[in-house]
Amino acid sequence: MDLQLAGRVAIVTGASKGIGLAVTTTLIEEGAHVVAASRTRTPELPDKAVHVPVDLMDPQAPAEVVARAVEEFGRLDILVNNAGGPPPGVTLPHAGFMNSDDATWQAMFEFNLFSVIRMIRSAVPVMLEGGGGSIVNVSSVSARQPAVVNMDYGAAKSALTYVSKAVDEEYGPQGIRVNTVSPGPVLTPWWTDEGGAADVFAGMVGSDRDSVITQVAPEMMKLTTGRLVAPQEVADAIALLVSPRSGSTAGADLVIDGGCLKEL
């Protein structure tokens, strides 16, 4: 399928690894120009990506990224707000409402909600000037499924899903579609890095990291597929959503979770 992305200009945040890296690579393979925003440039990031080293916790960073896209390519057609998860200094998973103070909650919302709001605010005028565009925000199944684990993260993602639908309602008639994808557990460095989620869960349940990834987590989260989601599976969905081939998909939330969510 030709996704009709050749020559389009995209920004991808959190582009250096995991889902963001898969999205960046996929869009470049489809012929798009990609401005990749992340704190550092990893060796895996394609040479064709224009890297902007930014910390999205900095309120000025989103405008800097959008300005670079305009400087390099003269327009902006696609925005993928992928950056999210634990902000610097915070380890996930963590459990218990009383175990997170104000600073933890504020940092979680700053990274997972306010940085996205600022990216959208910076991108919308440029997209309107170019006749429209497509925005995909990476939310989470945690936005739909309250739990005692990662409560602050889930709350921030719930707010992100709401904002996404509301922004689509305002700007969809002007040619800017806004959708979300809600992944379940995805096999990214968030899980696999030393001290990451697999190690934390292993300590919680008295197991080892490999068993957590291959058996404990899929069973605990009741994944129908029996395995964690591959980053490329999320990237493929995002590439389709930002494509003109999804021109009538607006204000939607696409769940890619291995069957984690069971409700209607």
Side-chain angles (χ1 to χ4, degrees):
M1 177 188 295
D2 178 9
L3 295 181
Q4 302 173 12
L5 294 176
R8 294 181 182 264
V9 179
I11 289 173
V12 180
T13 68
S16 62
K17 57 185 178 180
I19 294 172
L21 176 60
V23 172
T24 298
T25 303
T26 300
L27 294 182
I28 288 174
E29 289 173 348
E30 292 292 331
H33 304 295
V34 179
V35 175
S38 64
R39 289 185 179 88
T40 59
R41 179 168 195 144
T42 59
E44 295 80 11
L45 197 64
D47 291 339
K48 288 184 177 181
V50 176
H51 183 248
V52 183
V54 290
D55 180 356
L56 290 174
M57 298 284 279
D58 176 0
Q60 306 305 315
E64 179 183 341
V65 177
V66 172
R68 182 66 182 278
V70 174
E71 177 187 346
E72 292 283 341
F73 303 109
R75 58 182 296 118
L76 178 62
D77 306 296
I78 295 164
L79 171 61
V80 179
N81 284 306
N82 164 74
V90 176
T91 299
L92 294 180
H94 54 208
F97 174 73
M98 299 298 290
N99 294 328
S100 296
D101 59 14
D102 282 2
T104 301
W105 278 84
Q106 288 166 354
M108 194 66 71
F109 270 70
E110 186 70 31
F111 191 34
N112 289 278
L113 178 63
F114 295 127
S115 69
V116 177
I117 289 173
R118 294 183 189 113
M119 282 298 313
I120 296 172
R121 188 185 293 138
S122 297
V124 161
V126 180
M127 287 184 169
L128 289 176
E129 185 177 346
S134 178
I135 299 172
V136 172
N137 299 322
V138 178
S139 185
S140 170
V141 293
S142 297
R144 297 190 181 194
Q145 189 164 282
V148 298
V149 176
N150 302 336
M151 193 180 303
D152 47 356
Y153 172 74
K157 290 298 191 180
S158 292
L160 175 60
T161 299
Y162 173 90
V163 168
S164 301
K165 289 180 176 291
V167 173
D168 180 80
E169 183 69 15
E170 180 172 0
Y171 289 103
Q174 299 177 63
I176 300 177
R177 296 183 298 112
V178 185
N179 295 288
T180 56
V181 295
S182 289
V186 182
L187 191 59
T188 65
W190 188 86
W191 278 87
T192 59
D193 280 351
E194 185 174 352
D199 286 336
V200 175
F201 272 122
M204 287 180 174
V205 302
S207 184
D208 61 85
R209 66 194 319 274
D210 290 339
S211 296
V212 165
I213 291 171
T214 60
Q215 182 178 358
V216 176
E219 290 179 356
M220 181 173 57
M221 298 178 184
K222 299 179 180 179
L223 303 185
T224 305
T225 59
R227 62 173 177 82
L228 302 190
V229 179
Q232 189 62 51
E233 293 171 316
V234 183
D236 289 343
I238 291 173
L240 181 58
L241 280 175
V242 301
S243 163
R245 303 295 290 265
S246 295
S248 290
T249 304
D253 180 38
L254 180 58
V255 176
I256 311 162
D257 67 344
C260 179
L261 291 177
K262 308 298 182 185
E263 70 269 18
L264 297 176

